[in-house]
Amino acid sequence: MLQKIIIIFVLLTAITISIFFYFNNEVNEQKLNNIVDQMRLTIAAQLKTHQMDDLKVAILLSKNEALVNALENDDEDLGYELLTDALNSIEKETSLHIRAQILTEELNIFARSWDNVYTGMPIGDYRLDLKYFDTHTNPRASIEIGRRVGTKATVPIYAKDGTRLGFVEVISFFKSITEFFSSIGIDLYVLLDVQYIDTAVLMMQNLAISDYILANRNYNYSHIQTLKTVDFKELKLTGLLDKDNKYIFYDSMQDGNGKIIGGFVFVLPKKYLDYFRDQDDDISFFINITKSGLYDILKKEKYANNIYADYSANSLVYLQDIIDKEDRKLFFDEAYEKFDQYSKDELIQIMLNRKIVKKIDGKIK
């Protein structure tokens, strides 16, 4: 009798465990499918938002009377000066760094905000997307292949008599979108099909993954080795792979004519899966991420090798003048954390003990 009870108990336990794992896998699969859908919606929404923001700036520039006159008078130096001044003003007031260029009707570079070296260079051979304006007059914003692949908001520029003088373009290269996904624990890789490399000549030295060229420059290198072993035919077919304790998702990348020119690949480490809410939660897109939980994890990992952690508050006071620009955020995060432990009187004493020497240049009148 005891033996039968033990057998029945073991069988019931095995069945219970099997049911648990079955339903747990079902829940995880549903959650992953939901995340796949969310990512596709989110990348589309992010692209649309950035393209519309770029289009607004391009439209404003196309209405700048001084710029239009400079283009009409073929005054390239003045055009460059006016364009850079306008974008510098935007950056000063909004902290947004915008890249813009003005093209002539013949598709030659008239002015670019980031340099004035290639003025007069023809780009028609690289910008087949501009043929759109042979039959259309309305502006458009889309992903396009030029000498690099990126999002381009293009607006025609017209003279007062209605003659088209050229185009103004605002260009971006997925930097902010990559940063957005990184902030929620997902690493984005923008891949251009290698067949377009003869057009995207400035990407010839970019990293190659299978039959693709990596387009975004601020990618996370830690997943590259995994991606190099991925079967992209299978990934495109299924949309989801489980590899090296990571979930890898795929969505196609299309140009303004709807032609598939590459793909967006998303990598989500399995350890972050629990930070996404269930699909039944009534919240849209990646706002589903549980509050600041994931961000805190990411921040801790990012700063795990904090080189300033071993310095005292007194030492940090002296270091602040020699820290490189790219390291200042990490430095100040550590400094603020240490200074928070001191009272107001103690902080004043720290500052008073610092020897400050300033060199003053000038003439006494």
Side-chain angles (χ1 to χ4, degrees):
M1 178 65 69
L2 179 62
Q3 194 174 24
K4 289 182 179 179
I5 292 173
I6 292 173
I7 292 172
I8 292 172
F9 176 77
V10 170
L11 287 173
L12 288 174
T13 301
I15 292 171
T16 301
I17 293 174
S18 298
I19 292 173
F20 171 79
F21 280 109
Y22 172 79
F23 282 106
N24 187 59
N25 288 334
E26 284 290 310
V27 169
N28 275 343
E29 185 175 348
Q30 289 180 4
K31 194 169 189 176
L32 286 170
N33 290 333
N34 182 50
I35 293 175
V36 171
D37 292 339
Q38 287 183 338
M39 272 193 281
R40 287 173 175 165
L41 290 170
T42 302
I43 188 68
Q46 284 286 307
L47 286 168
K48 190 70 172 179
T49 297
H50 286 86
Q51 287 169 1
M52 290 303 100
D53 288 343
D54 289 348
L55 192 57
K56 291 173 187 176
V57 176
I59 291 173
L60 286 173
L61 291 173
S62 74
K63 304 300 182 182
N64 185 307
E65 188 174 348
L67 269 175
V68 174
N69 290 337
L71 178 58
E72 190 169 17
N73 295 321
D74 201 26
D75 192 338
E76 296 168 342
D77 291 336
L78 179 60
Y80 172 73
E81 182 181 340
L82 292 170
L83 181 61
T84 53
D85 284 349
L87 297 184
N88 286 339
S89 295
I90 293 175
E91 184 170 5
K92 181 180 179 181
E93 299 300 329
T94 65
S95 298
L96 295 175
H97 180 68
I98 297 171
R99 295 167 61 97
Q101 67 180 7
I102 297 175
L103 308 176
T104 67
E105 177 65 10
E106 296 75 29
L107 303 185
N108 299 328
I109 294 174
F110 175 74
R112 297 198 302 189
S113 63
W114 60 94
D115 66 52
N116 61 349
V117 177
Y118 296 101
T119 300
M121 185 180 76
I123 65 168
D125 291 342
Y126 302 103
R127 296 296 308 281
L128 301 180
D129 59 288
L130 291 173
K131 291 184 180 296
Y132 166 88
F133 293 99
D134 291 345
T135 54
H136 297 77
T137 58
N138 56 300
R140 81 168 183 173
S142 55
I143 297 174
E144 300 296 347
I145 303 172
R147 293 193 299 164
R148 288 174 62 185
V149 65
T151 61
K152 297 177 174 67
T154 308
V155 178
I157 299 176
Y158 294 97
K160 290 181 180 179
D161 63 2
T163 303
R164 194 172 69 189
L165 301 173
F167 307 90
V168 60
E169 291 192 316
V170 174
I171 306 169
S172 55
F173 297 107
F174 309 106
K175 182 176 184 293
S176 57
I177 295 177
T178 303
E179 290 172 348
F180 168 80
F181 279 100
S182 178
S183 72
I184 59 174
I186 296 171
D187 292 299
L188 172 66
Y189 300 84
V190 183
L191 303 180
L192 176 69
D193 195 305
V194 72
Q195 67 176 302
Y196 299 108
I197 196 61
D198 288 340
T199 300
V201 291
L202 294 184
M203 293 175 55
M204 285 185 172
Q205 300 303 316
N206 286 21
L207 184 67
I209 299 175
S210 185
D211 294 327
Y212 298 93
I213 304 297
L214 191 55
N216 54 331
R217 294 179 175 177
N218 56 328
Y219 60 87
N220 184 349
Y221 189 80
S222 63
H223 303 308
I224 294 299
Q225 294 308 314
T226 297
L227 292 178
K228 286 186 173 182
T229 63
V230 165
D231 183 342
F232 276 87
K233 290 183 179 179
E234 180 184 0
L235 178 59
K236 287 191 288 185
L237 183 64
T238 62
L240 169 64
L241 289 180
D242 180 346
K243 196 175 187 65
D244 296 344
N245 286 317
K246 305 163 188 175
Y247 294 114
I248 302 171
F249 311 94
Y250 177 89
D251 191 23
S252 61
M253 178 171 64
Q254 301 177 2
D255 65 10
N257 294 322
K259 183 179 181 180
I260 295 177
I261 58 174
F264 299 104
V265 172
F266 311 85
V267 179
L268 172 65
K270 286 186 177 180
K271 58 185 177 181
Y272 295 153
L273 182 63
D274 291 338
Y275 285 88
F276 291 83
R277 296 183 189 272
D278 293 329
Q279 61 183 355
D280 294 332
D281 288 351
D282 189 20
I283 306 177
S284 298
F285 303 128
F286 283 114
I287 300 173
N288 287 0
I289 292 177
T290 308
K291 301 278 186 179
S292 59
L294 180 55
Y295 175 75
D296 290 338
I297 294 287
L298 290 168
K299 186 174 179 182
K300 286 178 182 178
E301 289 191 356
K302 183 177 181 180
Y303 294 161
N305 299 317
N306 189 343
I307 60 174
Y308 306 114
D310 295 332
Y311 287 94
S312 66
N314 279 298
S315 300
L316 292 175
V317 171
Y318 291 90
L319 282 173
Q320 65 173 309
D321 295 329
I322 61 172
I323 300 300
D324 291 335
K325 182 178 179 181
E326 58 268 23
D327 293 330
R328 292 184 75 80
K329 185 181 187 304
L330 177 60
F331 170 81
F332 281 118
D333 283 349
E334 183 64 33
Y336 293 148
E337 184 175 335
K338 282 187 163 62
F339 290 145
D340 280 343
Q341 300 172 11
Y342 288 82
S343 67
K344 180 179 178 181
D345 290 338
E346 288 172 329
L347 290 172
I348 291 173
Q349 191 59 44
I350 289 174
M351 296 308 298
L352 288 175
N353 288 337
R354 182 185 180 196
K355 296 179 181 180
I356 301 175
V357 178
K358 291 185 178 179
K359 181 181 177 182
I360 301 176
D361 294 324
K363 295 180 180 180
I364 300 176
K365 295 184 179 179

